[in-house]
Amino acid sequence: MAEPFVSFLSFLLKTQPDYALSHPRQKPFSDTSRQAMRKRITAILQRSRPTPTTDAPRLQRFLSIYTDYLESKLMNSANSEEEYSNPRDLEVRVHYLLKEVKELYNRFRDTSDRLSALPDTLITQILLYLPTKDSIKTKILSKRFKDLWLQVPGLEMHSHEPAAINNFIATFLQRNRGSRLQKFKITYNGRNVCSHGNSEFIAGVVNRGVQQLDVGSSTLKRPLTNDLVHVNIYKSNTLVSLKLANVGMQNPPEFGVSLPCLKTMHLEDITTKDPLIVEKLISGCPVLEDLTVFRAFDDNVPVMRVRSLSLKRFCVKLSRARIIHGKEYAVEVDAPGLKYMNFGDNLSDRVVAKNLSSLFKVDIDAQFSFGITTTITVQMKNAIISDFLKGVSGVRHMIISQPTLESLYSWMNNGAFTKFSNLTRLEVSFCTDLLQRLPHFLEGFPKLKHLTLNLLYLKDLEPENLELTVVPQCLLGTLECVEVKEVATVEKAGKKRARYIKRTKVSKHMKKIWIEAVRYILENSLVLKKLVLCFSSVTNSVLEISEALPTNVILQRRVTPGTSSRTLQMFISIYTDYLESKLMSSANSEEEYSNPRDLEVRIHYLEKEVQELWNRLRDLRFSDRLSALPNTLITQILLYLPTKESIKTSFLSKRFKDLWLQVPGLEFHSHEPPAIRNFIVTFFQINRGSRLQRFKVTYNGRNVCLHGTSEFIAGVVNRGVQQLDVGSGTLKRPLTNDLVHVNIYKSNTLVSLKLANVGMQNPPEFGVSLPCLKTMHLEDITTKDPLIVEKLISGCPVLEDLTVFRVFDDNVPFLRVRSQCLKRFRVKFGRSRKIYGKEYAIEVDAPGLKYMNFRDDLSDKVVVKNLSSLFKVDIDTQFGTSTLQIKKSIISDFLKGIPSVRHMIISQPTLEVLYSCMKHGPFTKFCNLTRLEASFCTVLLQTLPYFLEGFPKLKHLTLNLLYLKDLEPENLELTVVPQCLLCTLECVEVKEVATVEKAGKKRARYIKRTKVSKHMKKIWIEVVRYILENSLVLKKLVLCFSPVTNSVLEISEALPTFTIGSPGCEIFNHLTSL
């Protein structure tokens, strides 16, 4: 036995918490029972794990350790000595324990040392994400790791001991002098960092092509005035990320800044003598995407300009912790590609935002220098804020802080708020004193869908009352989700930047204010779907608001302040009578609602029910949205209804009385021809000046030509109809009369033409011209011209969709389909009737064809060519009635004509024909096909492997199984394994489709399912076994069988006995009702 497995067993014995058989109190088993069990376990192990090559001492040691472990598990899980007295029960239990140990060992072996299996280059890349101090610690792992940390292409350290760090960096750089550093990060906490050579090290790593440079300190209150960063940083061709914090920077050289690869730049509290330092850095970064600037009040950059075409994320912060009085700041943002902006500048007097058409999200936490004495007047300040908000008016997601709202409060008093017409998501923090402005604030967001309302409690200032009467447009039309959150308690109202302190219990008056805000949202949000309330358990607000929710909201919404007392009394009386009747009829006893709380809850749900019924009634009676539309739009809506239904709308109102006559289309059924004739004549006379878009007539009699339908069709074509649909689905034989007039061949407006069971006149000598026709559907048409279809196609230069359902006597022996623009083609030619001795042929030549549905059973000659764009083909044909040798040639040419297809559907009758051809030669290869759906009857399953050899790159297979009642194969032996099963097949669906009544019928007739024979079920089980055992990359197997045939149960029971070739394969069982 392998020594690692023995060591693993010893490890299990030591780590088992219940391995204590020496303590008799734990499990009161006798020594005799334990000895007998050990002998039986040893015998089972010797039978299940023979090791003839293992020497005797190791074998005995292995058996002893394994027996000890199994004994401990069995004894500690048994409830009595008799539990494993049956040898069979003991063997089953040991079998599961052995399987469990094997799984544990496999996990242990797989995860034991994955790191050592990696190459050195990959390990050093992993260690690059650790601080250098931690990567050095890995040298104690093994000899291999002793010096491996020196090969890491990066350094990350804290210079708390500058002298020691100086020597270490020098040694490291000397050791790696031939390699390029990817990362260099140094953090300092002293102001004497420049005196220990850190500036020289930074210059050195920049010269060595560092990609990520991070230098700074978060502990210094004031940035360094020394020039820690060398001038060569402005000309790095390798820098991708640059982060500088609390450092001094030298002025850029005269020849400018060039950082061609820099994508991320983070500047925090930097100092420089050049006031244009930020602008020069941005201009020298042509691919900059992420910019963060945390400014210092004395950074010598009074005006910060951010102009970049590639910038996607921008964050700026300038706090008012310290300020130089009399100094003015400004910021300008011009970034057409910007997606996200975090604006936290509190000191800038002038803010300009322009060309932000791509901005999606903005986070505003700025006060626009409100409260600071400057030379700018209030009017100028309002203009600055207005221009800034207009510059970000196209944003869709906005976050506004409480200090920002305080700054906007005075501005909102002087005029209307800026409209954000595209904004759908808003997160805003309101202090208690500003809640009165909530409705006016929300008027600026007419399309708002999601609102997050953060509530802050001002301890020193509470509003006297909250009266919210104005209802903004978003609450009435768009707002779907609202979140109300209690954020924190604000200590002093006078502070512009709120200082959050520990929560305390807020006053009852404040809770009433919050309840009123929630009530306002609930009562006025007409399309609200979700309301989330998040309150602190400390302030005990959520409990009181939850108790207030079931109050009489409906009464308050129905009775307005202007309602008279008499009307109010009448309303309350009727409402009380209704609620009393509902409660009495549903109560089982007088004591059921004796508890006032139970009665209140019940009334709440009844009021909610009344509210829902009222909303439905209001939508039907009062909320007539259709009447608000213009007549032109209403007539376009009525165009999609049959004319009979559109006439019924005349009863809706006076406006709709004659509106149906303006509908630019007719759709009717000519079951009463004289009445229909008079109706159409009247309709055309009223609309004689307008162009019809749609004309559809359906007839069910052969005398349709006697009642003027042909003249009506000619008339609508002359009037520029766009969609013409004429036909019948009830006639067994098409009309021989020429129902369709000759003028149809010269229509400049037809876009869609559908003809069924009609006769067509011969095209004129000057040919066919249908320049706008895109869709043509011809079903069982008759004509005297054998080239009718070819002429129609040639006269349609933009035809995209063609459907031809042929009839046996349509006088079109040769059907040619030649079109450069055709994308979808369907043909159907059934063998229900046939003229013996007559031959049919079909030719398809369409370079742009994407989809073809081929169901031609009578054509003896089939030619397909130039189908290089074909993506999907559905084949359900028997390729004529010729001899087998002729069929073989026809099938070979047909399949070679569709080599580029990627998705194929083949019916069972088609496979029967292909079965005979496969006996005489190999099957055509489809090298591009990845998805296949094929229907196999029972006798053809033996050819499945040979059939699949034609699809070497198949990824998805759908196998439809049909049961032949009159013929079953004796046995199924599938030995050949095609290439697709070994390499590419990832998903297989096996479906039971139907039961076929007779095997002799070429076109199977599907009948009601019955229980199939046991032998047939074995055949299906063998198919599933073949797929599972030979598909090496299979990811998913779906089995769909009928509950009537009871096949899914037997196959599911047989699955555990199969050998699965792909370990990661998932198996799904479904019941089908088809």
Side-chain angles (χ1 to χ4, degrees), residues 914-972:
L914 294 178
Y915 173 69
S916 303
C917 297
M918 284 191 288
K919 292 181 178 179
H920 298 83
F923 190 67
T924 303
K925 294 276 188 181
F926 291 88
C927 297
N928 296 325
L929 194 137
T930 59
R931 193 179 185 97
L932 173 67
E933 181 177 345
S935 300
F936 274 83
C937 62
T938 48
V939 293
L940 292 180
L941 281 174
Q942 190 66 46
T943 63
L944 177 62
Y946 305 98
F947 178 69
L948 293 179
E949 285 183 345
F951 312 98
K953 296 182 180 180
L954 185 65
K955 291 185 177 182
H956 192 289
L957 170 64
T958 300
L959 199 62
N960 298 324
L961 300 179
L962 295 87
Y963 170 46
L964 289 175
K965 293 185 67 177
D966 302 331
L967 183 60
E968 294 182 3
E970 296 180 359
N971 200 1
L972 187 63

Side-chain angles (χ1 to χ4, degrees), residues 730-749:
T730 58
L731 296 180
K732 295 182 179 179
R733 292 282 295 111
L735 291 174
T736 55
N737 309 71
D738 297 334
L739 182 62
V740 181
H741 197 265
V742 70
N743 68 340
I744 199 174
Y745 300 115
K746 284 293 180 179
S747 173
N748 293 323
T749 58

Side-chain angles (χ1 to χ4, degrees), residues 601-823:
V601 171
R602 179 60 179 160
I603 290 176
H604 164 67
Y605 284 107
L606 284 176
E607 290 172 348
K608 188 175 181 181
E609 180 182 333
V610 173
Q611 176 71 30
E612 293 177 356
L613 293 173
W614 167 251
N615 288 336
R616 294 178 189 173
L617 181 63
R618 184 182 56 185
D619 292 341
L620 291 175
R621 293 181 58 189
F622 306 113
S623 202
D624 192 358
R625 298 179 181 177
L626 193 63
S627 297
L629 302 177
N631 289 350
T632 54
L633 185 55
I634 295 177
T635 54
Q636 286 295 323
I637 296 173
L638 296 179
L639 181 63
Y640 291 94
L641 298 177
T643 303
K644 182 179 179 180
E645 302 297 331
S646 64
I647 293 174
K648 294 178 181 179
T649 62
S650 61
F651 298 99
L652 294 178
S653 64
K654 291 183 179 180
R655 178 190 178 193
F656 280 84
K657 185 178 180 180
D658 298 323
L659 193 61
W660 65 271
L661 289 169
Q662 303 177 25
V663 177
L666 276 176
E667 178 182 344
F668 60 92
H669 188 86
S670 64
H671 55 283
E672 298 178 359
I676 291 295
R677 176 183 176 87
N678 296 331
F679 172 81
I680 296 177
V681 170
T682 304
F683 185 88
F684 283 173
Q685 189 172 0
I686 295 175
N687 293 275
R688 57 180 177 270
S690 62
R691 173 179 292 180
L692 289 182
Q693 296 182 23
R694 183 184 182 198
F695 184 82
K696 179 178 180 180
V697 55
T698 306
Y699 55 87
N700 58 0
R702 305 190 65 83
N703 57 348
V704 64
C705 297
L706 302 177
H707 300 284
T709 304
S710 180
E711 290 76 8
F712 290 141
I713 296 173
V716 296
V717 172
N718 291 332
R719 295 180 63 168
V721 70
Q722 296 180 11
Q723 301 176 28
L724 179 61
D725 189 344
V726 181
S728 172
T730 58
L731 296 180
K732 295 182 179 179
R733 292 282 295 111
L735 291 174
T736 55
N737 309 71
D738 297 334
L739 182 62
V740 181
H741 197 265
V742 70
N743 68 340
I744 199 174
Y745 300 115
K746 284 293 180 179
S747 173
N748 293 323
T749 58
L750 264 180
V751 177
S752 174
L753 175 63
K754 295 184 180 181
L755 304 175
N757 285 289
V758 300
M760 298 183 67
Q761 298 185 32
N762 294 342
E765 296 180 359
F766 47 79
V768 178
S769 176
L770 300 169
C772 299
L773 193 67
K774 292 186 177 182
T775 301
M776 182 162 56
H777 182 105
L778 306 176
E779 181 176 352
D780 296 347
I781 62 170
T782 57
T783 182
K784 297 177 182 179
D785 189 350
L787 301 178
I788 181 68
V789 179
E790 188 174 355
K791 291 179 180 179
L792 281 171
I793 296 172
S794 63
C796 303
V798 294
L799 184 65
E800 296 180 355
D801 194 335
L802 173 64
T803 301
V804 180
F805 288 180
R806 301 184 62 184
V807 65
F808 70 98
D809 56 349
D810 59 1
N811 198 29
V812 184
F814 194 0
L815 176 65
R816 288 187 180 91
V817 179
R818 296 174 180 174
S819 175
Q820 297 291 328
C821 56
L822 192 65
K823 295 181 180 179

Side-chain angles (χ1 to χ4, degrees), residues 46 54 85 94 133 166 277 309 452 586 728 785 827 980 998 1061:
Q46 289 176 344
T54 306
S85 58
V94 170
K133 182 179 179 180
N166 192 2
I277 181 68
L309 295 175
T452 300
S586 62
S728 172
D785 189 350
V827 61
C980 61
K998 291 184 179 180

Side-chain angles (χ1 to χ4, degrees), residues 584-602:
M584 290 300 179
S585 60
S586 62
N588 298 321
S589 63
E590 294 182 1
E591 292 79 13
E592 186 167 344
Y593 299 118
S594 58
N595 188 343
R597 180 59 182 169
D598 295 340
L599 179 62
E600 186 176 356
V601 171
R602 179 60 179 160

Side-chain angles (χ1 to χ4, degrees), residues 519-538:
R519 184 192 302 275
Y520 168 77
I521 294 172
L522 274 176
E523 292 183 0
N524 297 286
S525 301
L526 301 184
V527 295
L528 191 65
K529 297 179 180 179
K530 184 178 180 181
L531 173 65
V532 182
L533 303 177
C534 301
F535 290 92
S536 168
S537 57
V538 180

